[in-house]
């Protein structure tokens, strides 16, 4: 079906889109005119035989060469030709492919592409009989596009040998014009019927076909012109054929033959000039040249009026010419305009034109059928449109429901409606609730057939049998397929119970049904009990009402006060004192229990709220402790540097390095100052001092020093509206400002690109980009996930998370999206273009997103967004289980699980005890293999360290029991090693 839409939505490749003439079909019209010249000779010869002497004797003996001549002319352009294979291997390959396609269709007859491929191969192999059977099977399931029909018709015309074959071709034409509105097929139909003009009733047949063609597509502003011209050519050919013998006829015969035929041509010109069509001026000039008499004033007035109408329609037609298929928005605007004008013929035409390119849009079919149901109400037209709608979009339950209603409305036989309902059940709906809806529509129809004045009837038994079958079907078929009932409230059983109680006076059956409803998990809802109570109140007795309310008081959990109030009202109105006492006791007991449960729930909720407050307070306290600890560490670092300066500078002026960077010192080349200091100590270590050379890393260190010297710019939260936060950038990026500025300047004027560096001067992979205007910042968000040096760049709004802790940046929806697919199991080598090529065969693809990790590597997942949910539904059925590069993919409607709120790092507990900040164990927590790499000689208590000769020991932090020992500089380590 998706391929049908794609094929019908595009014009043939031989039809250029230049100019407004017939939507770019100038070459096709020229070819049609050439064929009509050939046909004119056939018309002239046949007309002479039918109007000349010996008319009766010649009528049946007219040579069929006219039809053969047409067949040769019409099939010359599209004849498949003769394919001669030079290698037997090619034929064997095609035969194997044909067998494979036939086997695949035996498994899944709804595979549209498989049908098309099979027909193509069979036609290529010259298997004409098999081609005909394959086309017939496909046309029974799917409506065929204009291209497929024309190919089939040309093949059949070529094989037509006698009158029976010609009738078969006529039948094919009748089927073809019913699928979609196709001006080209109507034109071929009219021209082919001209070939049979010599047969009995041939002339009337031709005129009938052309008149129907004008009714169908004569108002088509761009393609209707070809039909009008072909019809006029046919009638003009008859006039020219009869002109030589007109002088020999009596006045009466002349009036009956020649003059009446001449008037037919005049009538066609006048009818055409009265409607707005492209190239009306050329038609009017042709009429002036052809007509021997002056053109009547009424014709000129109608022509001018049509020209004015043409100017009103031109903007909509021009919009269609300029837009690309399927042009749904342009057609919708055109339909709105025609609906305001209110011409039924033109409204029907624009709907048909829109559906040619948008046959898989259920909403368009619904709107069209709704208009026909409420306005035109023509039985054949309404039922035809409904039938075509369900053939194009069989997965849409609303179309099937409307079809059943339309058939009932127009008095279609019950057996036909029942067959249509069975087709609906096998259509393959995508939701469990769809099956409930179609069953409900059919049960409503069966209920309206029953005469409930009779105690028993065939229709009533059929209704009860249908209710039973519906419940079994929903339980066995739907629940197994969707893992849900689709009818949790048991609406079908409720309706059945109401029918039994109100229309059949069978309360016993109604009570049985309600007992079954309550056992399916509905007993806890007050509204279900009250619905049952109202039914008992209206059609049962007080005893059963009281019994139902007593059960409701015990079972209801959502609104128990309501059912208690109803019970007390009943007993106050109709009950005895004993009944009142029992009701009061039960309601008081139940409400007391409910209040107790609510108090416990409130206390639990309050406890949870208190816990959340305590956690928030703990987080706040932890953050304060961390800040204090950082300040102390900075103070200690300053003291150490001062102590090192006062030392004898045996180890040089070493800076304290982070622990994560310390191991790199062993392999790095010391600066020149350190090399000179180490020369005096070479005897201690037994190795010579390194040569004072400047390695490449020296330049990086210098650059890092320069970056450290750059003053930090505090973030101004007042500029968040014009700032974006850019992250996931490569850490190795040199000069981020210079590389990112041109990228963001395309969105607007950039005030500043502020990259963030570490203390050592290394780029941390994120930055802030400030714009002059807010609209530039909003536009910059579109650069999210853009590839920068092999990584997807994340661009998000700049938000102060300390003020907005719940702010999350996630650009994709986490709810059910029926127009979007989730595909898993893709090969990692699958590109976006390859996936789009596969997906676009099933509908119009709006967007494809391949899911990647932070490094830009594919994860084998993708989201594919279609134009509407019907196309997505079809794609699920066609693509699920497909093999792509030896990977079997899974395809489903996009319905991501709810995103879990991550635990706060501060809320995590350390192993075996109290709350411990996560940062102690690093970004990913405690590793599984953490070895102690500190030498035993250095594994001393903090007291021993405090007594070292490298200055006063730093004071331990009193705020945290888990605080690490104070860090030491290179000089501290050196002195400890020397003391060993």
């Amino acid at each position: 079906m998706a391929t049908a839409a794609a094929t019908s939505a595009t014009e043939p490749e031989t039809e250029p889109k230049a100019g407004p003439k017939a939507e770019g079909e100038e070459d096709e019209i020229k070819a049609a005119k050439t064929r009509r010249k050939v046909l004119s000779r056939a018309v002239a010869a046949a007309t002479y035989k039918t109007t000349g002497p010996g008319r009766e004797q010649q009528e049946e003996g007219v040579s069929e060469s006219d039809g053969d001549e047409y067949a040769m002319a019409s099939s010359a352009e599209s004849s498949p030709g003769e394919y001669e294979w030079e290698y037997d291997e090619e034929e064997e390959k095609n035969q194997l492919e044909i067998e494979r396609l036939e086997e695949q269709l035996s498994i899944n007859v709804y595979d549209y592409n498989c049908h098309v491929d099979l027909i193509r191969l069979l036609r290529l192999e010259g298997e004409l009989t098999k081609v005909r059977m394959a086309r017939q099977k496909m046309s029974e399931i799917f409506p065929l596009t204009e291209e497929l029909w024309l190919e089939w018709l040309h093949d059949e015309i070529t094989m037509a040998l006698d009158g029976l074959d010609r009738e078969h071709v006529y039948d094919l034409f009748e089927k073809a014009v019913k699928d979609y509105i196709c001006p080209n097929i109507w034109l071929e139909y009219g021209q082919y019927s001209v070939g049979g003009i010599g047969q009995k009733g041939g002339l009337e047949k031709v005129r009938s076909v052309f008149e129907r063609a004008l009714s169908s597509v004569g108002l088509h502003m761009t393609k209707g012109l070809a039909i009008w011209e072909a019809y006029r050519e046919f009638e003009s050919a008859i006039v020219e054929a009869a002109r030589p013998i007109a002088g020999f006829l009596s006045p009466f015969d002349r009036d009956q033959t020649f003059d009446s035929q001449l008037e037919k041509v005049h009538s066609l010109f006048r009818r055409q000039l009265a409607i707005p069509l492209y190239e009306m001026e050329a038609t009017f000039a042709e009429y002036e040249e052809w007509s021997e008499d002056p053109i009547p004033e009424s014709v000129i007035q109608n022509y001018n009026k049509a020209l004015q109408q043409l100017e009103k329609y031109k903007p909509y037609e021009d919009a269609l010419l300029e837009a690309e298929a399927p042009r749904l928005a342009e057609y919708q605007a055109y339909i709105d305009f025609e609906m305001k004008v209110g011409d039924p013929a033109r409204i029907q035409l624009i709907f048909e034109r829109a559906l040619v390119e948008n046959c898989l849009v259920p909403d368009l079919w619904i709107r069209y059928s709704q208009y026909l149901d409420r306005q035109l109400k023509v039985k054949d037209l309404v039922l035809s449109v409904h039938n075509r709608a369900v053939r194009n979009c069989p997965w849409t339950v609303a179309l099937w429901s409307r079809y059943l209603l339309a058939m009932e409305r127009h008095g279609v036989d019950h057996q036909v409606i029942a067959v249509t309902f069975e087709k609906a059940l096998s259509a393959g709906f995508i939701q469990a609730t769809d099956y409930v809806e179609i069953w409900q529509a059919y049960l409503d129809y069966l209920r309206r057939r029953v005469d409930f004045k009779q105690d028993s009837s065939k229709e009533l038994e059929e209704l009860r049998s249908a209710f039973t079958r519906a419940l079994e079907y929903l339980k066995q078929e739907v629940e197994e397929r969707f893992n849900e009932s689709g009818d949790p409230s048991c609406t079908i059983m409720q309706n059945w119970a109401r029918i039994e109680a109100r229309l059949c006076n069978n309360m016993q059956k109604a009570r049985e049904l309600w007992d079954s409803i309550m056992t399916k998990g509905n007993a806890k809802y007050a509204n279900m009990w009250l619905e049952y109570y109202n039914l008992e109140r209206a059609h049962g007795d007080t005893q059963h009402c009281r019994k139902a309310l007593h059960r409701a008081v015990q079972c209801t959990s959502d609104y128990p006060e309501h059912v208690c109030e109803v019970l007390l009202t009943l007993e106050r109105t109709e009950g005895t004192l004993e009944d009142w006492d029992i009701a009061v006791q039960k309601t008081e007991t139940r409400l007391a229990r409910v209040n107790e449960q609510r108090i416990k729930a409130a206390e639990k909720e309050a406890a949870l709220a208190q816990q959340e407050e305590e956690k928030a307070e703990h987080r706040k306290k932890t953050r304060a402790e961390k800040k204090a600890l950082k300040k102390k560490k900075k103070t200690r670092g300053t003291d150490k540097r001062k102590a090192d300066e006062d030392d004898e500078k045996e180890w040089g002026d070493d800076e304290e390095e982070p622990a994560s960077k310390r191991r790199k010192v062993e392999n790095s080349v010391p600066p020149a100052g350190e090399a000179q200091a180490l020369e005096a100590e070479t005897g201690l270590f037994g190795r010579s001092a390194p040569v004072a050379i400047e390695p490449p890393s020296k330049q990086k260190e210098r650059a890092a020093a320069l970056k450290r010297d750059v003053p930090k710019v505090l973030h101004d939260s007042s500029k968040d509206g014009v700032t974006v936060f850019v992250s996931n950038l490569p850490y190795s990026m040199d000069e981020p400002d210079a590389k990112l500025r041109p990228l963001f300047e395309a969105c607007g004027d950039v005030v500043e690109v502020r990259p963030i560096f570490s203390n050592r001067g290394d780029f941390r992979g994120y930055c802030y980009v400030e714009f002059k205007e807010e609209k530039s910042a909003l536009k910059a968000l579109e650069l999210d996930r853009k590839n920068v040096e092999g990584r997807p760049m994340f661009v998000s709004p700049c938000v102060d998370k300390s003020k907005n802790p719940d702010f999350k940046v996630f650009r994709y929806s986490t709810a059910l999206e029926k127009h979007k697919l989730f595909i898993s199991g893709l090969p990692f080598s699958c590109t976006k273009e390859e996936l789009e090529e596969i997906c676009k065969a099933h509908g119009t693809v709006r967007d494809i997103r391949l899911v990647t990790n932070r490094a830009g590597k594919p994860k084998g997942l993708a989201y594919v967004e279609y134009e509407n949910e019907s196309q997505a539904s079809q794609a699920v059925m066609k693509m699920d289980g497909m093999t792509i590069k030896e990977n079997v993919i899974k395809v489903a409607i996009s319905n991501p699980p709810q995103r879990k709120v991550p635990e706060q790092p501060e809320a995590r507990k350390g192993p075996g005890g109290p709350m411990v900040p996560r940062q102690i164990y690093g970004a990913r927590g405690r590793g599984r293999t953490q070895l102690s790499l500190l030498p035993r000689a250095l594994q001393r208590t903090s007291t021993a360290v405090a007594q070292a000769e490298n200055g006063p020991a730093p004071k331990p932090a009193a705020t945290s029991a888990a605080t690490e020992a104070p860090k030491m500089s290179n000089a501290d380590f050196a002195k400890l090693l020397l003391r060993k």
Side-chain angles (χ1 to χ4, degrees), residues 664-726:
K664 295 182 180 179
V665 177
E666 299 176 4
N667 299 325
S668 64
V669 180
E674 293 185 31
Q676 294 174 2
L678 285 173
E679 288 180 356
E681 305 292 340
T682 52
L684 296 175
F685 297 96
R687 61 175 182 263
S688 60
V691 181
I693 61 174
E694 187 173 293
S697 60
K698 183 67 176 179
Q699 299 177 359
K700 293 185 178 180
E701 292 181 6
R702 287 184 176 179
L706 292 175
K707 291 176 181 177
R708 284 196 298 270
D709 295 337
V710 175
K712 294 185 178 180
V713 180
L714 296 178
H715 177 65
D716 187 357
S717 60
S718 63
K719 296 182 179 181
D720 285 350
V722 294
T723 306
V724 295
F725 179 69
V726 184

Side-chain angles (χ1 to χ4, degrees), residues 803-822:
K803 299 179 180 179
N804 300 276
D806 298 330
F807 177 77
K808 298 290 181 183
V809 178
F810 191 74
R811 58 175 296 197
Y812 305 110
S813 173
T814 58
L816 174 65
E817 296 177 283
K818 297 183 180 179
H819 68 292
K820 186 179 292 187
L821 303 184
F822 173 69

Side-chain angles (χ1 to χ4, degrees), residues 918-932:
R918 182 176 180 178
Q919 282 76 359
I920 291 178
Y921 301 122
R924 296 180 179 272
R926 182 185 292 275
R928 287 181 294 177
T929 57
Q930 287 191 339
L931 303 179
S932 177

Side-chain angles (χ1 to χ4, degrees), residues 539-557:
H539 307 283
D541 51 54
T542 304
Q543 187 62 30
H544 283 91
C545 289
R546 181 177 290 110
K547 183 179 179 182
L549 290 176
H550 278 283
R551 293 175 59 192
V553 168
Q554 296 297 325
C555 300
T556 301
S557 60

Side-chain angles (χ1 to χ4, degrees), residues 287-308:
Y287 186 29
E288 286 183 322
E289 181 181 354
W290 182 86
S291 178
E292 298 175 356
D293 301 325
I295 299 178
E297 185 65 26
S298 60
V299 176
I300 297 177
Q301 291 178 357
N302 291 334
Y303 167 70
N304 291 329
K305 184 178 179 181
L307 279 177
Q308 295 176 359

Side-chain angles (χ1 to χ4, degrees), residues 291-352:
S291 178
E292 298 175 356
D293 301 325
I295 299 178
E297 185 65 26
S298 60
V299 176
I300 297 177
Q301 291 178 357
N302 291 334
Y303 167 70
N304 291 329
K305 184 178 179 181
L307 279 177
Q308 295 176 359
Q309 292 179 340
L310 179 62
E311 293 302 319
K312 296 180 181 179
Y313 287 109
K314 266 190 174 182
Y316 299 97
E317 293 290 346
D318 292 342
L320 290 176
L321 291 173
E322 295 171 1
E324 296 182 359
R327 301 184 271 260
L328 179 60
E330 289 76 14
Y331 277 120
Q332 292 282 16
Y334 206 160
I335 290 172
D336 294 338
F337 172 75
E338 291 288 13
M339 295 283 276
K340 291 179 181 178
V341 176
D343 186 351
R346 298 197 67 89
I347 293 174
Q348 182 185 351
L349 176 65
I350 191 58
F351 268 116
E352 292 288 351

Side-chain angles (χ1 to χ4, degrees), residues 135-147:
R135 285 167 168 164
Q136 185 66 33
K137 289 180 179 179
M138 184 179 181
S139 65
E140 291 174 357
I141 301 173
F142 301 108
L144 305 186
T145 63
E146 179 179 333
E147 182 182 5

